[in-house]
Amino acid sequence: MSFNDLERGTRSPRSGTGSPAADPEFTRLKDTVSLQVFKIQSNVTGIQKLVDKLGGAGDQENMRNTLHNLTEATREMVKKSTGDVKALASYPVEGPQKAISAKLSREFAAALQNFQRVQRLSAERQRGTLEPARRAHAVSEVVAEEERSRGSVELEPVQQQVQVQQQAQAPQITQHELEFQEQLIAERENEIREIESGIHELNDIFRDIGAIVEQQGGLVDNIESNIISVSGNTREAAEELTTAHEYQRKAGRRMACLLMILVIVICVVILAG
């Protein structure tokens, strides 16, 4: 039996009008959490697509900015949604409504788990692309230092000509470019630290939601067990009624036969007299 069946086929214990939707506050919380879960899952899908571009041809600065902003927005959404999930889980309802809130709690926990997974993957990919940038920056610093050293030493005309040729062939690195590389590396290191900090921050939320899901799991099992038990009892009662009806039908036939025999005997007696 699905949760939709439970929601359609039972009455609300608070309203008694036939549907959990009859309770406005429960409906509001249910719809809010459902929408939040959908948004988080959609954002996770978008983050995954952006993470797949890290280290590839699509790895551009604007793409990384989009990835950073989407990750931060999803993190804030998770933290904001947690209060609604807890409120829905502790809402004073029983039966089918409790099963619905348990279902949404599990969906929220699954969305949070996927978000944590894609955050770890993002940090790992960004850390992997950061190392080559550090090495390139180190090489650039060495080249710039060598250029400065050569420029401060007086050389023979032939050596000066060779130096000019080498400088023409080698890529020219300005101080501005070095500073830009340093700033870019620092920004990427800060983004990685923010992701890792966000992962640790959401771990506590994940544990709280996990505890709620575990607790509600037992309640859902009890609800389903009770429904199955009621269904079994109903079938047994129906079978007993069918048996009783069949017994009554057979008893009625026997009574009719006895009455017919009695009538025949009375007729024979009357005729014989």
Side-chain angles (χ1 to χ4, degrees):
M1 179 175 293
S2 66
F3 287 105
N4 290 332
D5 295 333
L6 296 178
E7 188 174 0
R8 289 194 301 266
T10 54
R11 294 183 175 269
S12 170
R14 290 172 62 88
S15 61
T17 58
S19 172
D23 188 332
E25 180 62 16
F26 178 84
T27 301
R28 186 193 68 80
L29 283 172
K30 174 176 68 69
D31 293 343
T32 299
V33 172
S34 180
L35 180 61
Q36 290 166 343
V37 169
F38 174 77
K39 288 181 177 180
I40 293 171
Q41 291 173 336
S42 298
N43 285 6
V44 168
T45 300
I47 292 171
Q48 180 67 64
K49 292 179 179 178
L50 294 173
V51 169
D52 291 340
K53 295 181 180 180
L54 290 172
D59 191 352
Q60 304 294 334
E61 189 63 25
N62 59 345
M63 186 278 292
R64 286 181 176 255
N65 289 335
T66 301
L67 174 60
H68 174 75
N69 293 336
L70 186 58
T71 301
E72 288 296 312
T74 306
R75 186 179 299 121
E76 291 301 317
M77 188 183 302
V78 168
K79 290 191 289 187
K80 180 181 178 181
S81 304
T82 302
D84 292 326
V85 174
K86 290 181 177 179
L88 182 64
S90 61
Y91 198 77
V93 291
E94 298 297 336
Q97 293 91 338
K98 205 68 176 178
I100 293 168
S101 66
K103 175 178 177 289
L104 288 174
S105 296
R106 288 198 299 271
E107 290 179 351
F108 181 79
L112 179 55
Q113 186 175 21
N114 289 333
F115 180 48
Q116 294 287 70
R117 174 190 57 77
V118 80
Q119 280 191 110
R120 293 189 181 96
L121 181 60
S122 177
E124 180 182 343
R125 292 278 181 87
Q126 293 192 51
R127 196 179 294 110
T129 60
L130 184 61
E131 192 57 34
R134 286 172 176 163
R135 290 197 296 267
H137 177 67
V139 171
S140 299
E141 285 186 324
V142 171
V143 171
E145 183 63 29
E146 290 179 351
E147 289 178 352
R148 287 192 295 268
S149 299
R150 284 197 300 265
S152 62
V153 177
E154 295 184 1
L155 302 174
E156 298 295 331
V158 176
Q159 294 175 324
Q160 291 178 355
Q161 184 178 1
V162 173
Q163 179 178 347
V164 170
Q165 292 176 350
Q166 291 176 343
Q167 291 176 348
Q169 296 174 355
Q172 299 299 309
I173 302 172
T174 64
Q175 183 63 30
H176 177 72
E177 289 174 335
L178 284 175
E179 292 176 354
F180 177 75
Q181 289 179 357
E182 289 178 355
Q183 180 182 359
L184 188 61
I185 291 173
E187 288 177 354
R188 292 185 177 181
E189 288 176 338
N190 185 58
E191 288 177 358
I192 293 173
R193 284 194 295 269
E194 286 183 358
I195 293 174
E196 293 174 341
S197 175
I199 291 173
H200 293 308
E201 182 180 6
L202 295 184
N203 279 340
D204 292 336
I205 295 177
F206 189 77
R207 282 193 292 268
D208 291 343
I209 299 300
I212 291 174
V213 170
E214 183 177 358
Q215 179 183 7
Q216 289 180 326
L219 294 175
V220 173
D221 291 341
N222 290 335
I223 292 170
E224 292 181 346
S225 177
N226 291 336
I227 292 173
I228 293 172
S229 177
V230 170
S231 177
N233 292 337
T234 302
R235 284 196 301 270
E236 291 178 0
E239 291 174 357
E240 291 178 359
L241 288 174
T242 301
T243 301
H245 176 71
E246 183 67 19
Y247 176 80
Q248 289 177 349
R249 187 174 60 86
K250 292 179 178 180
R253 287 180 179 178
R254 288 196 296 269
M255 182 63 67
C257 291
L258 290 175
L259 287 174
M260 289 180 63
I261 294 171
L262 180 60
V263 170
I264 292 172
V265 170
I266 292 174
C267 290
V268 171
V269 171
I270 292 174
L271 292 174

